[in-house]
Amino acid sequence: MIFEIYSIEDTTKLGFSLGKLLNSGDIICLTGDLGTGKTHITKGIARGLGINENITSPTFTIVNEYDSGRLKLNHFDVYRVSDPDEIYAIGFDDYIFSDAVSIIEWANYIEEILPQELLHILIEKDLTKGDDYRKITITPYGNKFNYIKELKIW
């Protein structure tokens, strides 16, 4: 699925719509350049899960946990991870193979240790279409994500 977005608000709305559909144990992998909106879509997903806490990127802590919604959320930022052993040291498998929804920003940095069943979201800029334009491509890997066909922003 490809969405063309023209504002930060719509990026967040897409995340919100997705968050309402997510199920226990879902793994969302976010990729895209710096400043494309990975954290904004994560904020929307959290709201869609019913989490009203302030969502921040866990750049230095690697993972933030939120458990005030209908499902627990584990939010990873692996931008500064230089070796997969670093991520294993924090109990990565325990996080992603739990009942929580796991969102992994910069997932391409650790793709060799990711499970095969996941939802990949690629966010791309195209400045010729405006500063806030984003092309968001959502690709499901595995049958558990068949519900993604129901995803709509509005």
Side-chain angles (χ1 to χ4, degrees):
M1 300 184 86
I2 296 175
F3 295 89
E4 290 190 278
I5 305 288
Y6 290 89
S7 70
I8 292 169
E9 294 79 18
D10 284 347
T11 299
T12 305
K13 281 182 192 175
L14 178 61
F16 177 81
S17 296
L18 177 59
K20 293 181 75 117
L21 295 174
L22 292 175
N23 296 308
S24 175
D26 284 353
I27 299 168
I28 314 303
C29 294
L30 302 175
T31 58
D33 292 336
L34 278 170
T36 53
K38 293 180 291 297
T39 302
H40 286 292
I41 203 164
T42 299
K43 289 178 181 188
I45 291 170
R47 276 195 236 134
L49 290 171
I51 298 168
N52 292 316
E53 298 173 55
N54 183 35
I55 305 299
T56 59
S57 189
T59 303
F60 296 100
T61 59
I62 301 178
V63 65
N64 287 338
E65 300 175 58
Y66 305 94
D67 59 3
S68 60
R70 70 175 176 86
L71 295 171
K72 183 177 179 178
L73 173 64
N74 298 322
H75 177 203
F76 294 87
D77 182 331
V78 297
Y79 182 75
R80 299 193 184 284
V81 172
S82 57
D83 182 345
D85 287 341
E86 282 182 68
I87 196 97
Y88 281 128
I90 65 162
F92 183 68
D93 282 352
D94 293 334
Y95 281 111
I96 65 164
F97 294 115
S98 71
D99 290 337
V101 169
S102 293
I103 298 175
I104 306 165
E105 292 189 36
W106 300 99
N108 50 308
Y109 285 27
I110 60 165
E111 63 189 358
E112 67 272 8
I113 66 169
L114 293 172
Q116 291 183 346
E117 198 164 43
L118 54 82
L119 191 63
H120 178 244
I121 301 176
L122 171 63
I123 307 174
E124 300 170 286
K125 291 182 192 181
D126 182 346
L127 296 178
T128 66
K129 295 184 178 186
D131 289 345
D132 292 329
Y133 171 85
R134 300 295 184 267
K135 177 181 170 187
I136 301 177
T137 306
I138 301 176
T139 307
Y141 293 92
N143 292 330
K144 76 182 278 185
F145 296 103
N146 284 335
Y147 62 80
I148 204 68
K149 295 171 190 156
E150 301 170 31
L151 182 61
K152 293 181 180 32
I153 297 177
W154 318 191

